[in-house]
Amino acid sequence: MKKNNFSALSLSENLTEALGKHGYSEPTPIQKQAIPVILTGADVIAQAQTGTGKTLAFVLPILELIDSSKPHVQALIVTPTRELAIQIAEEVNRWAPLKGLKVLSAYGGQDVDRQIRKLEGAIHIIIATPGRLLDHIRRETVQLHKLSMLVLDEADQMLHMGFLPEVEEIISVTPSRRQTLLFSATMPVRIRDLAKAYMRRTRRNRGGRKTDYAGRNRTDGDPNDRPGQAGRFVQTD
């Protein structure tokens, strides 16, 4: 039997076995770097292109860290387009039943009333575009005050599409103690500023040079910081 190297990433046995059955036996570089760090509860900035396996790099840790016995939204994945939301939702829904987790995708073009009815049940993970998510937040049909994990996927594309104000409004209604994961193909100044403002201290290691992103909302003396939970920057070529 071919060895499944996902088992070296501290993933549970049932998830590792399921990955193997679907033909996943060798993690990509971004998965090798990001998954173990995310599982520690640290904030992560990951610079990775589409096609590098970055979706599984955040989806698998989310599935491991969420508690299915708690009937509230624990993880939120924000992505810039309907197409990306659909792709991520398909990936999450492939594995979520293994952990007994319920998932909602929310994006433009869907029936809002149907989404609202689904939100009346226990939803653990939401995948959404900024506009539709804000619509639910303003209707008070989505409650994020108990959120533990926030993923900003394709952050540079959200910047280019003008969604940064919406993203910041979404962040403002989440708990300060959440774990934040930012994935982006490029790191323009405004994305780095976003990381400084809303993420725990994050170290970027690139080309032998190290730069600390010291989050504005969390200083070395902030009681909200958890020991050993400093953020990490990971990058794939």
Side-chain angles (χ1 to χ4, degrees):
M1 181 181 293
K2 186 177 180 181
K3 181 181 179 182
N4 191 327
N5 289 317
F6 277 93
S7 61
L9 302 182
S10 300
L11 296 172
S12 61
E13 186 176 348
N14 70 330
L15 194 50
T16 301
E17 289 179 355
L19 287 165
K21 289 177 182 177
H22 282 81
Y24 294 93
S25 61
E26 185 61 41
T28 66
I30 188 66
Q31 292 163 3
K32 287 179 182 177
Q33 294 177 66
I35 289 173
V37 179
I38 296 171
L39 286 172
T40 70
D43 285 2
V44 168
I45 301 177
Q47 186 169 346
Q49 303 289 333
T50 299
T52 58
K54 66 180 177 64
T55 300
L56 273 184
F58 59 78
V59 167
L60 295 178
I62 285 174
L63 297 176
E64 296 287 23
L65 293 172
I66 286 181
D67 185 346
S68 62
S69 69
K70 296 179 179 179
H72 58 259
V73 179
Q74 296 170 58
L76 169 64
I77 302 168
V78 183
T79 192
T81 68
R82 176 179 181 270
E83 291 73 23
L84 279 169
I86 291 171
Q87 291 173 23
I88 295 170
E90 288 175 350
E91 197 67 64
V92 175
N93 280 309
R94 180 186 300 183
W95 314 106
L98 293 169
K99 299 293 185 178
L101 301 175
K102 296 184 179 179
V103 183
L104 174 73
S105 53
Y107 46 81
Q110 287 182 311
D111 184 341
V112 176
D113 291 335
R114 183 179 178 183
Q115 289 176 4
I116 291 172
R117 287 193 297 273
K118 191 169 182 180
L119 283 163
E120 291 173 351
I123 298 294
H124 301 103
I125 305 170
I126 293 179
I127 302 107
T129 52
R132 179 53 62 94
L133 180 60
L134 276 179
D135 184 24
H136 280 293
I137 290 171
R138 290 164 181 165
R139 291 170 182 255
E140 299 184 350
T141 50
V142 165
Q143 302 294 329
L144 301 177
H145 62 286
K146 294 183 179 180
L147 191 79
S148 55
M149 301 183 74
L150 170 65
V151 180
L152 303 177
D153 188 34
E154 302 281 357
D156 53 350
Q157 291 304 309
M158 287 195 275
L159 168 63
H160 296 152
M161 296 172 72
F163 287 141
L164 227 53
E166 286 87 348
V167 169
E168 292 187 300
E169 185 174 345
I170 291 165
I171 293 172
S172 73
V173 299
T174 66
S176 62
R177 291 179 64 88
R178 72 187 178 272
Q179 180 181 11
T180 306
L181 314 174
L182 187 152
F183 285 74
S184 189
T186 61
M187 288 290 163
V189 172
R190 290 189 66 191
I191 295 303
R192 295 199 300 269
D193 288 343
L194 186 73
K196 290 177 186 177
Y198 296 108
M199 299 177 74
R200 290 185 287 257
R201 183 178 296 275
T202 305
R203 173 159 288 182
R204 174 178 181 172
N205 189 330
R206 184 178 185 183
R209 294 175 296 173
K210 293 183 179 180
T211 303
D212 278 339
Y213 290 157
R216 183 180 62 202
N217 294 336
R218 289 176 170 73
T219 63
D220 290 339
D222 192 328
N224 285 330
D225 271 338
R226 290 168 287 174
Q229 302 301 308
R232 289 283 298 278
F233 177 92
V234 297
Q235 179 185 13
T236 59
D237 295 326

Short mmCIF file of all heavy atoms in Angstrom, two decimals, residues 39-70:
data_model
loop_
_atom_site.label_atom_id
_atom_site.label_comp_id
_atom_site.label_asym_id
_atom_site.label_seq_id
_atom_site.Cartn_x
_atom_site.Cartn_y
_atom_site.Cartn_z
N LEU A 39 -2.81 24.17 12.60
CA LEU A 39 -3.32 23.28 13.64
C LEU A 39 -2.88 23.70 15.04
O LEU A 39 -3.50 23.31 16.03
CB LEU A 39 -2.88 21.83 13.36
CG LEU A 39 -3.62 21.13 12.22
CD1 LEU A 39 -2.96 19.78 11.91
CD2 LEU A 39 -5.10 20.94 12.53
N THR A 40 -1.83 24.51 15.15
CA THR A 40 -1.40 25.01 16.47
C THR A 40 -2.27 26.17 16.94
O THR A 40 -2.15 26.62 18.08
CB THR A 40 0.06 25.47 16.44
OG1 THR A 40 0.18 26.68 15.65
CG2 THR A 40 0.99 24.40 15.90
N GLY A 41 -3.11 26.71 16.05
CA GLY A 41 -3.94 27.86 16.41
C GLY A 41 -3.33 29.19 16.03
O GLY A 41 -3.89 30.25 16.33
N ALA A 42 -2.17 29.18 15.36
CA ALA A 42 -1.50 30.42 14.99
C ALA A 42 -2.17 31.10 13.81
O ALA A 42 -2.77 30.45 12.95
CB ALA A 42 -0.03 30.14 14.64
N ASP A 43 -2.05 32.41 13.75
CA ASP A 43 -2.43 33.16 12.55
C ASP A 43 -1.39 32.88 11.47
O ASP A 43 -0.20 32.73 11.76
CB ASP A 43 -2.46 34.66 12.83
CG ASP A 43 -3.69 35.08 13.62
OD1 ASP A 43 -4.50 34.22 13.99
OD2 ASP A 43 -3.83 36.29 13.87
N VAL A 44 -1.85 32.82 10.21
CA VAL A 44 -0.95 32.50 9.11
C VAL A 44 -1.24 33.41 7.92
O VAL A 44 -2.39 33.62 7.55
CB VAL A 44 -1.11 31.02 8.68
CG1 VAL A 44 -0.42 30.75 7.34
CG2 VAL A 44 -0.56 30.09 9.74
N ILE A 45 -0.17 33.96 7.35
CA ILE A 45 -0.24 34.61 6.03
C ILE A 45 0.45 33.67 5.06
O ILE A 45 1.62 33.32 5.26
CB ILE A 45 0.48 35.97 6.02
CG1 ILE A 45 -0.13 36.92 7.04
CG2 ILE A 45 0.41 36.58 4.62
CD1 ILE A 45 0.60 38.24 7.12
N ALA A 46 -0.24 33.24 4.02
CA ALA A 46 0.34 32.31 3.06
C ALA A 46 0.29 32.91 1.67
O ALA A 46 -0.78 33.29 1.20
CB ALA A 46 -0.40 30.98 3.10
N GLN A 47 1.43 33.00 1.05
CA GLN A 47 1.50 33.50 -0.32
C GLN A 47 1.59 32.31 -1.25
O GLN A 47 2.60 31.59 -1.26
CB GLN A 47 2.71 34.42 -0.51
CG GLN A 47 2.73 35.08 -1.89
CD GLN A 47 3.78 36.17 -1.98
OE1 GLN A 47 4.31 36.62 -0.96
NE2 GLN A 47 4.09 36.59 -3.19
N ALA A 48 0.55 32.07 -1.99
CA ALA A 48 0.50 30.90 -2.87
C ALA A 48 -0.43 31.17 -4.04
O ALA A 48 -1.48 31.79 -3.90
CB ALA A 48 0.01 29.68 -2.09
N GLN A 49 -0.03 30.71 -5.20
CA GLN A 49 -0.82 30.87 -6.41
C GLN A 49 -1.96 29.86 -6.45
O GLN A 49 -1.93 28.82 -5.77
CB GLN A 49 0.07 30.66 -7.65
CG GLN A 49 1.27 31.59 -7.73
CD GLN A 49 0.88 33.02 -8.05
OE1 GLN A 49 -0.15 33.27 -8.68
NE2 GLN A 49 1.70 33.98 -7.62
N THR A 50 -2.96 30.13 -7.27
CA THR A 50 -4.02 29.16 -7.54
C THR A 50 -3.40 27.93 -8.18
O THR A 50 -2.50 28.03 -9.01
CB THR A 50 -5.07 29.78 -8.48
OG1 THR A 50 -5.64 30.92 -7.85
CG2 THR A 50 -6.17 28.78 -8.79
N GLY A 51 -3.87 26.75 -7.77
CA GLY A 51 -3.33 25.52 -8.34
C GLY A 51 -2.23 24.89 -7.51
O GLY A 51 -1.68 23.86 -7.89
N THR A 52 -1.92 25.49 -6.34
CA THR A 52 -0.87 24.95 -5.49
C THR A 52 -1.42 24.05 -4.38
O THR A 52 -0.66 23.52 -3.58
CB THR A 52 -0.07 26.09 -4.82
OG1 THR A 52 -0.98 26.91 -4.07
CG2 THR A 52 0.65 26.94 -5.85
N GLY A 53 -2.74 23.88 -4.35
CA GLY A 53 -3.35 23.08 -3.29
C GLY A 53 -3.66 23.89 -2.05
O GLY A 53 -3.88 23.35 -0.97
N LYS A 54 -3.74 25.23 -2.20
CA LYS A 54 -3.93 26.08 -1.03
C LYS A 54 -5.30 25.90 -0.38
O LYS A 54 -5.44 26.09 0.83
CB LYS A 54 -3.71 27.56 -1.39
CG LYS A 54 -4.72 28.15 -2.34
CD LYS A 54 -4.41 29.61 -2.62
CE LYS A 54 -5.37 30.21 -3.62
NZ LYS A 54 -6.76 30.25 -3.14
N THR A 55 -6.32 25.52 -1.16
CA THR A 55 -7.65 25.35 -0.55
C THR A 55 -7.63 24.26 0.51
O THR A 55 -8.09 24.47 1.64
CB THR A 55 -8.70 25.03 -1.62
OG1 THR A 55 -8.75 26.10 -2.57
CG2 THR A 55 -10.07 24.87 -0.99
N LEU A 56 -7.05 23.11 0.19
CA LEU A 56 -6.95 22.05 1.20
C LEU A 56 -6.04 22.47 2.35
O LEU A 56 -6.20 21.98 3.47
CB LEU A 56 -6.42 20.77 0.58
CG LEU A 56 -7.44 19.82 -0.05
CD1 LEU A 56 -6.76 18.54 -0.52
CD2 LEU A 56 -8.57 19.47 0.92
N ALA A 57 -5.11 23.38 2.09
CA ALA A 57 -4.19 23.83 3.14
C ALA A 57 -4.93 24.50 4.29
O ALA A 57 -4.47 24.46 5.44
CB ALA A 57 -3.13 24.77 2.57
N PHE A 58 -6.07 25.12 4.01
CA PHE A 58 -6.85 25.70 5.11
C PHE A 58 -8.10 24.89 5.43
O PHE A 58 -8.56 24.88 6.57
CB PHE A 58 -7.20 27.18 4.89
CG PHE A 58 -8.00 27.51 3.66
CD1 PHE A 58 -9.37 27.30 3.60
CD2 PHE A 58 -7.39 28.12 2.56
CE1 PHE A 58 -10.12 27.65 2.48
CE2 PHE A 58 -8.12 28.47 1.43
CZ PHE A 58 -9.49 28.23 1.39
N VAL A 59 -8.65 24.17 4.46
CA VAL A 59 -9.86 23.40 4.71
C VAL A 59 -9.60 22.25 5.68
O VAL A 59 -10.38 22.02 6.63
CB VAL A 59 -10.45 22.85 3.39
CG1 VAL A 59 -11.51 21.79 3.66
CG2 VAL A 59 -11.05 24.00 2.57
N LEU A 60 -8.50 21.52 5.49
CA LEU A 60 -8.23 20.36 6.36
C LEU A 60 -8.05 20.75 7.83
O LEU A 60 -8.66 20.12 8.71
CB LEU A 60 -7.02 19.58 5.84
CG LEU A 60 -7.19 18.93 4.46
CD1 LEU A 60 -5.91 18.24 4.03
CD2 LEU A 60 -8.36 17.95 4.45
N PRO A 61 -7.26 21.79 8.15
CA PRO A 61 -7.18 22.20 9.56
C PRO A 61 -8.51 22.68 10.13
O PRO A 61 -8.81 22.44 11.30
CB PRO A 61 -6.15 23.33 9.54
CG PRO A 61 -5.35 23.12 8.32
CD PRO A 61 -6.30 22.54 7.32
N ILE A 62 -9.31 23.36 9.31
CA ILE A 62 -10.63 23.80 9.79
C ILE A 62 -11.45 22.59 10.23
O ILE A 62 -12.06 22.59 11.30
CB ILE A 62 -11.36 24.59 8.69
CG1 ILE A 62 -10.78 25.99 8.55
CG2 ILE A 62 -12.87 24.68 8.98
CD1 ILE A 62 -11.35 26.79 7.39
N LEU A 63 -11.46 21.55 9.40
CA LEU A 63 -12.23 20.35 9.73
C LEU A 63 -11.75 19.71 11.02
O LEU A 63 -12.55 19.15 11.79
CB LEU A 63 -12.14 19.35 8.58
CG LEU A 63 -12.71 19.80 7.24
CD1 LEU A 63 -12.46 18.75 6.17
CD2 LEU A 63 -14.19 20.12 7.33
N GLU A 64 -10.45 19.78 11.27
CA GLU A 64 -9.89 19.17 12.49
C GLU A 64 -10.19 20.00 13.73
O GLU A 64 -10.35 19.46 14.82
CB GLU A 64 -8.38 19.00 12.34
CG GLU A 64 -7.96 18.04 11.25
CD GLU A 64 -8.20 16.58 11.59
OE1 GLU A 64 -9.07 16.28 12.44
OE2 GLU A 64 -7.52 15.73 11.00
N LEU A 65 -10.24 21.32 13.59
CA LEU A 65 -10.33 22.19 14.76
C LEU A 65 -11.75 22.52 15.20
O LEU A 65 -11.98 22.94 16.33
CB LEU A 65 -9.55 23.49 14.50
CG LEU A 65 -8.02 23.32 14.35
CD1 LEU A 65 -7.38 24.62 13.89
CD2 LEU A 65 -7.41 22.84 15.66
N ILE A 66 -12.71 22.35 14.32
CA ILE A 66 -14.09 22.69 14.66
C ILE A 66 -14.72 21.59 15.52
O ILE A 66 -14.48 20.41 15.33
CB ILE A 66 -14.92 22.91 13.37
CG1 ILE A 66 -14.53 24.25 12.75
CG2 ILE A 66 -16.41 22.86 13.65
CD1 ILE A 66 -15.29 24.57 11.51
N ASP A 67 -15.55 22.02 16.46
CA ASP A 67 -16.25 21.11 17.36
C ASP A 67 -17.69 20.94 16.86
O ASP A 67 -18.50 21.87 16.96
CB ASP A 67 -16.23 21.68 18.78
CG ASP A 67 -16.83 20.73 19.81
OD1 ASP A 67 -17.50 19.75 19.41
OD2 ASP A 67 -16.64 20.99 21.01
N SER A 68 -17.99 19.77 16.35
CA SER A 68 -19.33 19.53 15.78
C SER A 68 -20.44 19.57 16.82
O SER A 68 -21.61 19.73 16.47
CB SER A 68 -19.35 18.18 15.05
OG SER A 68 -19.09 17.13 15.96
N SER A 69 -20.09 19.45 18.10
CA SER A 69 -21.11 19.46 19.15
C SER A 69 -21.59 20.88 19.48
O SER A 69 -22.59 21.05 20.19
CB SER A 69 -20.58 18.80 20.42
OG SER A 69 -19.57 19.60 21.03
N LYS A 70 -20.88 21.89 18.98
CA LYS A 70 -21.27 23.27 19.23
C LYS A 70 -22.05 23.81 18.03
O LYS A 70 -21.49 23.95 16.95
CB LYS A 70 -20.02 24.13 19.48
CG LYS A 70 -19.26 23.72 20.74
CD LYS A 70 -18.02 24.57 20.93
CE LYS A 70 -17.28 24.16 22.20
NZ LYS A 70 -16.04 24.96 22.41
#
